[in-house]
Amino acid sequence: MGAPSQATTWGRALWALLLATLGSAASQPLGAESVCTARPLAKYSLTFTGKWSQTAFPKQYPLFRPPAQWSSLLGAAHSSDYSMWRKNQYVSDGLRDFAERGEAWALMRELEAAGEKLQSVHEVFSAPAVPSGTGHTSAELEAHARHSLVSFVVRIVPSPDWFVGVDSLDLCDGDRWREQVEVDLYPYDAGTDSGFTFSSPNFATIPQDTVTEITSSSPSHPANSFYYPRLKSLPPIARVTLVRLRQNPRTFVLPPPGPLGGGNEITDSLSGPETPLDCEVSLWSSWGLCGGPCGKLGAKSRTRYVRVQPANHGTPCPELEEEAECVPDNCV
């Protein structure tokens, strides 16, 4: 039998390369960009910092009954086959209860069920509520190679069904754990209540909508509490910082003290951007009666009122009263 031709040799080489490539791809989880191989377990300190101040978000800022504040934080360390919430997807019944009323029992049961049946939730963690728009709260959590993702939610109080959080934040980078991660947070609408303002009454969204990010122009309605048409984007309303805790065989060592303390605290002097808020006025009223002496021009007037006071160097209010000449109908 003669020696194989050059074309046959190249064909065999290409076939072998294709098999090797397919075998390598098949060994990777579907949809996963990388596999975490970091060892050993990693423990993290999570600090949630509220940045919801009246200077950054002056429109309809809640001052009373209740004032601006944050609910307790509820989260989980989990694998890629679990999702606590996701943009453009429907929330679960448990997350609906949490986003609308701050009730966590149903969401806790969902997390526990995912941990028991699917083995996809490694740990559930929580942090105390923050009784102000600016302040911080903290928690500790544990992750390992199969459960390297972190998700959590915090309800915006008061609000119809608005919240902030992270979805499947990966603490692992290949074969090592990330030492520190910081993420700016922005408001989301859970898609279960149709209110526009912080203090809107309960008005269920039927049919239920998906989770959407609230921006400075969406929903595009002047009544929306986050509607700032002069801004390209909203400033972050909160931030989360995760710091890996150093450990030895016997104990964990906390990171050195910094500006972020422990527990839930109010921060009165938290610096942040000043969002300009323009004055908003009503439509003009109808013209009043024309008054004046007979044989001469009289005057009539109309008024409007301030709907939103300007703040942070926003556009000042225009004149609220206007007069015009007229011919008196009933002269004296």
Side-chain angles (χ1 to χ4, degrees):
M1 183 180 293
S5 65
Q6 184 176 8
T8 302
T9 303
W10 275 107
R12 290 175 178 173
L14 288 172
W15 179 248
L17 179 61
L18 178 60
L19 288 176
T21 303
L22 290 175
S24 174
S27 66
Q28 299 292 329
L30 183 64
E33 295 182 358
S34 63
V35 176
C36 178
T37 58
R39 293 290 187 275
L41 297 175
K43 195 167 186 179
Y44 282 85
S45 170
L46 179 151
T47 301
F48 172 86
T49 304
K51 302 170 74 68
W52 185 17
S53 66
Q54 192 170 7
T55 56
F57 299 91
K59 187 174 184 180
Q60 302 167 3
Y61 187 80
L63 296 173
F64 310 103
R65 295 187 297 181
Q69 57 191 272
W70 301 96
S71 76
S72 57
L73 178 150
L74 185 60
H78 59 90
S79 58
S80 59
D81 53 359
Y82 173 76
S83 175
M84 190 177 191
W85 68 275
R86 187 148 294 169
K87 185 177 178 181
N88 298 326
Q89 293 188 8
Y90 296 102
V91 300
S92 64
D93 291 340
L95 192 48
R96 171 205 286 263
D97 291 347
F98 187 84
E100 289 189 5
R101 300 184 295 275
E103 297 176 1
W105 295 111
L107 184 55
M108 284 287 295
R109 287 196 295 269
E110 291 174 357
L111 290 168
E112 291 171 359
E116 293 173 359
K117 296 180 181 179
L118 303 177
Q119 300 295 311
S120 56
V121 173
H122 170 65
E123 181 183 28
V124 177
F125 58 89
S126 63
V130 180
S132 172
T134 58
H136 60 266
T137 187
S138 60
E140 290 187 4
L141 61 106
E142 186 180 77
H144 62 73
R146 186 176 180 276
H147 302 88
S148 63
L149 307 179
V150 170
S151 298
F152 72 81
V153 287
V154 183
R155 181 174 181 255
I156 298 174
V157 182
S159 74
D161 61 342
W162 302 340
F163 69 95
V164 299
V166 297
D167 166 35
S168 303
L169 174 65
D170 201 344
L171 299 178
C172 183
D173 186 9
D175 61 351
R176 63 184 181 87
W177 294 107
R178 299 186 182 189
E179 295 300 321
Q180 181 168 330
V181 183
E182 285 191 349
V183 180
D184 286 332
L185 305 178
Y186 300 88
Y188 280 90
D189 187 319
T192 62
D193 193 292
S194 298
F196 271 125
T197 67
F198 295 120
S199 57
S200 292
N202 184 36
F203 183 57
T205 301
I206 300 175
Q208 180 177 332
D209 203 352
T210 58
V211 174
T212 56
E213 183 177 354
I214 301 173
T215 70
S216 60
S217 58
S218 178
S220 182
H221 194 290
N224 177 20
S225 292
F226 286 111
Y227 185 69
Y228 295 94
R230 287 179 54 179
L231 299 182
K232 291 184 178 179
S233 61
L234 291 174
I237 197 171
R239 175 178 294 168
V240 63
T241 304
L242 291 111
V243 179
R244 187 184 177 195
L245 303 179
R246 290 300 177 185
Q247 56 180 309
N248 58 38
R250 291 188 177 183
T251 183
F252 287 99
V253 179
L254 293 173
L260 300 176
N264 57 330
E265 300 178 10
I266 298 174
T267 307
D268 293 328
S269 59
L270 188 67
S271 60
E274 288 193 354
T275 300
L277 181 63
D278 297 337
C279 176
E280 293 182 15
V281 295
S282 67
L283 298 175
W284 286 109
S285 67
S286 301
W287 287 105
L289 295 175
C290 183
C294 294
K296 295 183 179 180
L297 289 177
K300 60 182 179 180
S301 65
R302 61 179 182 176
T303 60
R304 54 187 173 184
Y305 61 90
V306 176
R307 297 178 59 186
V308 177
Q309 291 286 352
N312 303 329
H313 309 292
T315 303
C317 294
E319 294 294 331
L320 302 178
E321 186 173 353
E322 185 177 60
E323 289 191 352
E325 292 184 340
C326 60
V327 177
D329 295 326
N330 300 316
C331 57
V332 179

